[in-house]
Amino acid sequence: MDRREIAALLAYIGRLDPRTIRTDPGEARDQLAQWHALLGDVPIVTPHGWDARVAARQHIRTSPYQILPADVARPWESYRRDRLTRHTDPTPSVDPDDQAAWSAELLDTRHAVATGAAQPAQARAITSGRQDIDPKLASRLREVGSCIPPAARAALAPWRPARAAREVALAQGLPDALSVRCPWCLAQPGESCRRRQVHPDGGARRTAPRATAHPGRLDLAIAQRAEQDQQPATA
């Protein structure tokens, strides 16, 4: 915000909370200088969801204390952090061998996202299960069935044996063994089973993830599915 925008914000705040009004010209100049020094890098409004007046009004509505510049700066920092958390760097359009141009484009994109001039890239939102992703992207994900192409999934299988075995079992119509707690290794639902690595003296040294679930866990999942199938359908 420049000094003119700071003055407009202070005038707006003064209408909502007369305690902030400074009638003495010297005090008004000092107040304007202080707010400008602390909020000069905070925009008054952005194209994507930030408005300093909204932050000020929210503080005045919910706090009995007179508003300070920090009460506008804190929501702005939270806004920036949230946008960067939801952002995944897109591949720059410049030559990747030009390291300076590559880094500059990445930084420019992040700055535009953080300051509300551009929307965050949605790749991370697709894979994280967020409920507020772009409707077009959600529709596209439903069409393809997975964010990982089949060829890429097959190429990753040797490095993800537990996931690959689970997908094969589901494709064969078997119940998902990882949907229940393992009675043998006590792995929680969604976690891979683990096997013990035994020390030469006979004691358990450590555990390592198994590519397949323990047989007892699969039996438990089968029994659970059979029990669900036997339950009468409710209207």
Side-chain angles (χ1 to χ4, degrees), residues 14-81:
R15 290 196 297 270
L16 299 180
D17 184 0
R19 293 177 300 174
T20 62
I21 297 176
R22 301 292 183 267
T23 56
D24 181 79
E27 292 181 355
R29 283 194 301 271
D30 291 343
Q31 182 188 46
L32 179 60
Q34 178 198 39
W35 280 64
H36 182 253
L38 295 172
L39 300 179
D41 59 343
V42 177
I44 186 72
V45 66
T46 70
H48 301 292
W50 165 258
D51 191 325
R53 294 164 299 184
V54 173
R57 184 171 68 245
Q58 181 65 16
H59 174 83
I60 294 171
R61 286 183 54 199
T62 58
S63 174
Y65 300 105
Q66 184 173 324
I67 190 170
L68 298 173
D71 299 316
V72 177
R74 277 195 300 267
W76 167 246
E77 294 301 329
S78 297
Y79 172 88
R80 284 168 49 89
R81 284 194 300 269

Side-chain angles (χ1 to χ4, degrees), residues 204-220:
R205 181 169 55 182
R206 59 177 179 267
T207 62
R210 284 171 52 99
T212 58
H214 284 109
R217 190 177 193 180
L218 179 58
D219 292 341
L220 182 60

Side-chain angles (χ1 to χ4, degrees), residues 15 34 86 100 112 115 152 190 203 224:
R15 290 196 297 270
Q34 178 198 39
R86 293 187 287 116
T115 56
Q224 187 178 83

Side-chain angles (χ1 to χ4, degrees), residues 121 147 194:
C147 59
R194 303 189 69 84

